[in-house]
Amino acid sequence: MRKPPVQTGRAVHPPNPVSLKFPCLMKAHHLHPKKYPLNRGLRRFSIRPRDGDPPFTEKFFSQVVDHFNFNSLGNATFNQRYLITDRFWKKSFGPIFFYTGNEGDIWEFALNSGFILELAAQQEALVIFAEHRYYGRSLPFGNQSFSIPEVGLLTVEQALADYALMITELKLQLAAAQSPVIVFGGSYGGMLSVYMRLKYPNIVAGALAASAPILSTAGFGDPRQFFRDVTAVSLGEQIRLKRPVACDTMLGGSDLLTNLRDTAGTEPALGLWKHFKNCEGLADSLQRCFVPAGMVYNSSGLLPCFDLYRLYVECADPTGCGLGFNSLAWDYQACTEIEMCYESNNVTDMFPPMTFTQEARQLYCSKRWGVQPRPGWLRIQFWGDDLSTASNIIFSNGDLDPWANGGVRNSLSPSLIAINISDGAHHLDLRGSNAADPESVVKARKMEAELIAAWVKMERVRFRQSH
């Protein structure tokens, strides 16, 4: 057995929104320090204490770099970041609520998943938010992590093994062997929660997968669905937000809509689409259509404008890859396992006609990363749409979320439960309670809490019977 990992921890406050756009590299790593030096030229942002910040402690776990090849790197490790709070935990008895981090800085998800903390207070749980390898500050090879072949260890399977090992060893360290584990995740993180329950049911007792497009990203369904649903959702009440606009005020509608198309699937934009009518044809008001893009590319509001052509990033995800190192990581994942062959046609949606076929994906990914995508791999590895023999998974989706129809919308069994939230946006149920919450999301959270409590109880019975 490996020795328990050495950890460092300190109570910190999350970075401001600007720092979330430029995640710092990890401070230390154990792998070939001369070959993989840290990038000392990156701008760093201070972490400022703020009132009301979540009570997390930031720590680093000594994680195996390659779980599946004993020769390539041996037992080499890297520092994987996680956030933890035992504020509500009934030590050695209460459950463990574990967030399967997705494509970004882990603080970004922790700050927007208040429901998990509320549930932890009710059920006396320990809460852990784990950062996905190759995102945020969890870079296995420092600033060389996105070189070839180093980037090749960025896979869904490696990420799941990271979480399985982290859960197992932290339970030992915290004397929590009898604490049932429930995993949570939103969007791609929700997909990972489903996969954790499928792959490691001996470790994970249940999963809440919010807005998890596990079907569309495995190649199922209509490739036009996403942008069609973005358009449908945008036909709501139009509002104006005070937000810097595009630097080039002479942009044509096609350029503008292409940019909006690139930001359509990002987390900030998903919360805004429902407020915008069809932007097509609004020649005198095109700048208003940049509000969702501005929320993505200029979230701090510090820039007088944002440059469309500088910020547009070509990648293997037509809904947008974001910026910085995180965009590189997601681009690589979209070139390998995650299928994002979505298209717009300007007939069923408001965006310019743009196709992204498997052939186009193959050509781009071969040129950019030197890899050939494997269409259909997620169907084989993670059961595709044949999930009926699984158990203890909640699939929650909001009707105002364009990702919803790429996920599971109908219950598959008494323990594979679909919760559809009529007034819900992208994983709104994971956010903290708010006085403005629609009744549908309040009811959804209540149902989720009851199901999770039942799973925890069932797992305790299993523990007693097996020991």
Side-chain angles (χ1 to χ4, degrees):
M1 292 181 64
R2 294 196 312 118
K3 295 181 179 179
V6 177
Q7 300 180 64
T8 59
R10 61 188 178 90
V12 299
H13 294 273
N16 59 40
V18 178
S19 66
L20 293 177
K21 296 295 180 186
F22 301 90
C24 299
L25 293 171
M26 59 194 206
K27 293 182 179 178
H29 57 87
H30 303 154
L31 201 69
H32 309 301
K34 293 183 179 179
K35 185 177 179 182
Y36 304 110
L38 296 180
N39 186 341
R40 303 184 187 281
L42 284 180
R43 179 182 177 188
R44 293 179 180 270
F45 294 87
S46 60
I47 297 176
R48 304 171 185 171
R50 295 179 298 189
D51 293 337
D53 284 340
F56 290 111
T57 298
E58 182 181 272
K59 294 189 176 185
F60 290 88
F61 180 82
S62 183
Q63 186 60 263
V64 173
V65 176
D66 188 349
H67 295 280
F68 307 115
N69 189 323
F70 291 86
N71 290 325
S72 62
L73 294 168
N75 291 323
T77 61
F78 72 99
N79 288 340
Q80 183 175 19
R81 181 165 59 166
Y82 68 98
L83 311 178
I84 187 170
T85 178
D86 61 359
R87 176 179 178 181
F88 312 107
W89 191 36
K90 186 175 182 180
K91 187 173 175 58
S92 302
F93 180 81
I96 296 173
F97 292 166
F98 187 95
Y99 186 93
T100 52
N102 35 314
E103 71 279 29
D105 187 298
I106 194 57
W107 273 111
E108 193 166 356
F109 304 112
L111 291 176
N112 288 284
S113 303
F115 171 64
I116 298 176
L117 289 175
E118 294 171 7
L119 194 60
Q122 294 173 20
Q123 302 190 16
E124 300 178 307
L126 177 72
V127 178
I128 299 171
F129 279 75
E131 190 164 71
H132 195 298
R133 61 169 49 207
Y134 287 82
Y135 290 96
R137 296 179 63 191
S138 299
L139 302 179
F141 302 95
N143 66 337
Q144 296 299 310
S145 294
F146 301 99
S147 299
I148 300 171
E150 286 81 2
V151 72
L153 294 177
L154 172 53
T155 67
V156 172
E157 292 81 2
Q158 295 279 3
L160 297 177
D162 287 345
Y163 298 150
L165 184 60
M166 181 184 289
I167 290 169
T168 301
E169 296 206 3
L170 289 182
K171 287 184 74 172
L172 289 175
Q173 292 178 31
L174 298 169
Q178 300 300 308
S179 293
V181 178
I182 306 296
V183 289
F184 297 75
S187 198
Y188 169 53
M191 294 166 54
L192 294 174
S193 291
V194 173
Y195 300 159
M196 282 294 292
R197 176 58 184 165
L198 299 179
K199 195 81 170 177
Y200 299 101
N202 57 316
I203 296 175
V204 171
L208 169 51
S211 302
I214 63 169
L215 300 180
S216 63
T217 54
F220 292 103
D222 185 346
R224 298 168 296 181
Q225 170 264 314
F226 179 80
F227 290 110
R228 182 180 64 230
D229 287 357
V230 169
T231 301
V233 168
S234 73
L235 298 177
E237 179 184 0
Q238 181 171 316
I239 62 172
R240 291 174 179 266
L241 295 179
K242 189 175 182 180
R243 181 66 52 182
V245 296
C247 298
D248 186 352
T249 58
M250 300 303 293
L251 288 169
S254 178
D255 287 336
L256 184 150
L257 289 170
T258 299
N259 177 268
L260 288 176
R261 183 183 188 273
D262 186 51
T263 63
T266 59
E267 299 288 332
L270 284 169
L272 290 172
W273 280 117
K274 63 180 180 178
H275 297 298
F276 289 85
K277 293 182 179 178
N278 193 326
C279 294
E280 182 97 40
L282 299 179
D284 59 340
S285 306
L286 284 176
Q287 287 294 339
R288 288 181 297 177
C289 300
F290 267 104
V291 174
M295 292 299 291
V296 176
Y297 294 131
N298 193 10
S299 62
S300 66
L302 298 177
L303 302 176
C305 61
F306 58 95
D307 188 334
L308 169 97
Y309 298 107
R310 182 178 64 82
L311 292 173
Y312 177 83
V313 179
E314 181 185 13
C315 73
D317 178 356
T319 73
C321 284
L323 302 171
F325 281 152
N326 293 337
S327 71
L328 298 178
W330 187 244
D331 186 32
Y332 183 79
Q333 290 196 264
C335 270
T336 50
E337 298 178 296
I338 311 295
E339 296 187 41
M340 309 294 290
C341 290
Y342 305 154
E343 64 181 55
S344 56
N345 56 26
N346 203 227
V347 175
T348 60
D349 58 66
M350 64 184 180
F351 299 99
M354 294 177 68
T355 59
F356 188 61
T357 63
Q358 287 290 359
E359 291 74 19
R361 180 190 184 208
Q362 184 179 50
L363 183 64
Y364 168 81
C365 295
S366 176
K367 180 180 178 181
R368 175 65 183 87
W369 296 105
V371 297
Q372 293 293 317
R374 296 179 184 173
W377 175 242
L378 288 184
R379 303 188 193 192
I380 296 172
Q381 183 75 327
F382 300 111
W383 304 20
D385 60 351
D386 188 12
L387 298 168
S388 59
T389 57
S391 64
N392 294 6
I393 302 174
I394 299 169
F395 301 95
S396 65
N397 284 286
D399 289 348
L400 300 181
D401 178 11
W403 290 105
N405 288 323
V408 176
R409 302 303 303 268
N410 298 303
S411 296
L412 304 175
S413 76
S415 65
L416 294 173
I417 300 166
I419 298 178
N420 295 305
I421 307 170
S422 59
D423 299 307
H426 199 51
H427 51 78
L428 178 61
D429 50 325
L430 288 186
R431 295 182 181 271
S433 298
N434 186 286
D437 283 336
E439 184 62 25
S440 57
V441 77
V442 174
K443 290 180 177 179
R445 292 188 187 120
K446 183 176 184 295
M447 185 175 181
E448 290 165 356
E450 291 171 351
L451 288 168
I452 289 169
W455 294 343
V456 169
K457 186 177 180 179
M458 289 169 54
E459 187 71 354
R460 294 197 197 287
V461 172
R462 189 184 72 82
F463 282 154
R464 287 196 297 268
Q465 293 175 343
S466 62
H467 294 84

